């Protein structure tokens, strides 16, 4: 189970923070309140930021976003991400992995692996939890595997929004414990708990000023907002899932915890 917020372990302050964002909008949606508070340089790395093949037909999602071609969608998203990163005061790094609908069969995240192997060992890396999002979870799993091979510090894990934010206890002190029980929003967290203990490192419900700054960064990704609203309702409301952010640090378990009762998967 998750432990309560505590002091950071004695260590050097990381010289750089790198946030792995599976898609162009994930860092803003999940961490736009947190990122401006980080000391030192911060880079947001969009994993699935590569251009589609020139002859790729436009995907269903991009059609819902109003685009008439895959190339148009990619150009617009690059520009949206640049604007959001500029508002947040972070660097923009884009990896050449095409998004799911445009990825070739059997594609691997080899550019992400190479980036992780090249980072200095004192880099603080944030990875998505992966709540009900297999591509998000794949990013976390690969990052943890590569860092373990390098004997590098474990990453911090952030709750990806708006997905995790639909938990009824979201934004409350008991959110982590609720995720450990939830069959809707907590399956990725429960999977993580089989191998690691978690400690809350950042838990914040944004005040008005920080909410306004986060909303401005999220609005930079304007092409995504209408389809997200179709799936997640009023997720941009002041009292909605984006209002709170949550990050955990990890400690490897020596032994596996007791196996919980199987939970039925549901869409969060």
């Amino acid at each position: 189970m998750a432990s309560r917020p505590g002091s950071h372990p004695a260590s050097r302050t990381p010289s750089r923070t790198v946030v792995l964002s599976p898609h162009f909008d994930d860092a803003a949606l999940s961490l736009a309140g947190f990122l401006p508070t980080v000391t030192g340089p911060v880079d947001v790395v969009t994993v699935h930021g590569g251009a589609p093949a020139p002859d790729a037909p436009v995907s269903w999602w991009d059609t819902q976003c109003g685009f008439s071609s895959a190339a148009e969608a990619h150009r617009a998203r690059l520009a949206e991400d640049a604007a959001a990163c500029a508002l947040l005061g972070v660097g923009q790094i884009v990896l050449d992995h095409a998004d799911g609908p445009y990825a070739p069969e059997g594609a691997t995240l080899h550019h992400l692996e190479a980036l992780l192997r090249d980072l200095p060992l004192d880099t603080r890396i944030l990875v998505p939890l992966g709540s009900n999002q297999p591509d998000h979870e794949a990013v976390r799993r690969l990052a943890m595997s590569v860092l373990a091979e390098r004997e590098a510090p474990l990453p911090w894990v952030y709750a990806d929004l708006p997905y995790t934010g639909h938990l009824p206890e979201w934004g409350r002190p008991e959110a982590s414990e609720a995720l450990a029980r939830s069959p809707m929003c907590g399956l990725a967290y429960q999977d993580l708990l089989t191998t690691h203990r978690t400690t809350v490192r950042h838990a914040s419900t944004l005040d008005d000023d920080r909410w306004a700054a986060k909303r401005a960064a999220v609005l930079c990704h304007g092409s995504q907002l209408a389809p997200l609203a179709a799936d997640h309702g009023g997720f941009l409301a002041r009292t909605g899932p984006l209002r709170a952010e949550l990050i955990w640090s990890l400690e490897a378990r020596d032994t596996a915890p007791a196996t919980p009762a199987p939970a039925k998967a549901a869409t969060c």
Side-chain angles (χ1 to χ4, degrees), residues 12-14 34 36 64-65 99 102 105 115 129 155 176 183 189 194 209 220 223 231:
R12 290 189 303 158
T13 300
F34 169 75
Q64 298 304 300
C65 293
D99 197 5
Y102 304 118
E105 186 175 355
L115 177 140
L129 175 61
S176 297
Y189 187 70
T194 64
D209 289 342
C220 289
S223 68
D231 286 345

Side-chain angles (χ1 to χ4, degrees), residues 46-67:
T46 299
V47 176
H48 293 284
D55 59 347
V58 63
S59 70
W60 174 86
W61 179 264
D62 285 342
T63 299
Q64 298 304 300
C65 293
F67 297 115

